[in-house]
Amino acid sequence: MNIAYKIVILFTMIFCHIVDDYYLQGWLASAKQKSWWENNAPEKLYKYDYLAALFMHSFSWSFMIMLPPTIALMVTGGIWKPVLLIVNLLIHMFVDNLKANEKKINLIQDQMIHIIQVIFTWWVLIGIL
């Protein structure tokens, strides 16, 4: 796989990050915040429902950023590493919680961490082929 093809995959992954983190979140952007549940569904039954929203968004994001390298690996016969999906999901969930609920990081820090995730995932799956 030549370097130009690898760079296209990286840029496609970054594009997928932007699409999923900004355009596809929809209601999950609100639902992953504890405060949304406290204001809109204050019953104890819903106390931890924000975790489901965090999980769903994090899974969607992780799956989305892994689509371009997965397709490339299917074409080239490379080895896909499913553990990266789980690692990305957990990191994304943790980071989004720090921003949305703990208020310990801002949007710039959140996005820098996610871009590092994208680059690391690309490097593991494509960059070292």
Side-chain angles (χ1 to χ4, degrees), residues 5-107:
Y5 190 64
K6 291 179 182 184
I7 297 299
V8 168
I9 292 169
L10 176 61
F11 284 140
T12 305
M13 291 173 72
I14 292 169
F15 175 76
C16 287
H17 153 70
I18 293 165
V19 168
D20 200 274
D21 225 23
Y22 288 94
Y23 298 110
L24 297 181
Q25 268 194 82
W27 175 73
L28 289 174
S30 297
K32 67 184 184 181
Q33 298 176 44
K34 286 185 208 179
S35 61
W36 188 91
W37 293 95
E38 292 166 352
N39 294 330
N40 294 286
E43 296 81 10
K44 287 177 78 172
L45 176 65
Y46 307 109
K47 184 175 182 178
Y48 298 107
D49 281 9
Y50 75 97
L51 292 172
L54 272 171
F55 178 85
M56 292 304 175
H57 165 64
S58 298
F59 178 83
S60 172
W61 181 89
S62 300
F63 189 85
M64 180 71 88
I65 67 149
M66 290 187 69
L67 274 176
T70 299
I71 293 168
L73 290 171
M74 289 169 61
V75 170
T76 63
I79 299 170
W80 187 70
K81 297 171 178 60
V83 72
L84 279 175
L85 180 73
I86 296 165
V87 169
N88 277 320
L89 185 154
L90 294 174
I91 292 170
H92 196 95
M93 195 170 168
F94 177 76
V95 169
D96 275 18
N97 189 60
L98 285 177
K99 179 179 58 83
N101 297 306
E102 303 296 326
K103 312 276 190 234
K104 293 193 176 186
I105 64 173
N106 62 30
L107 180 63

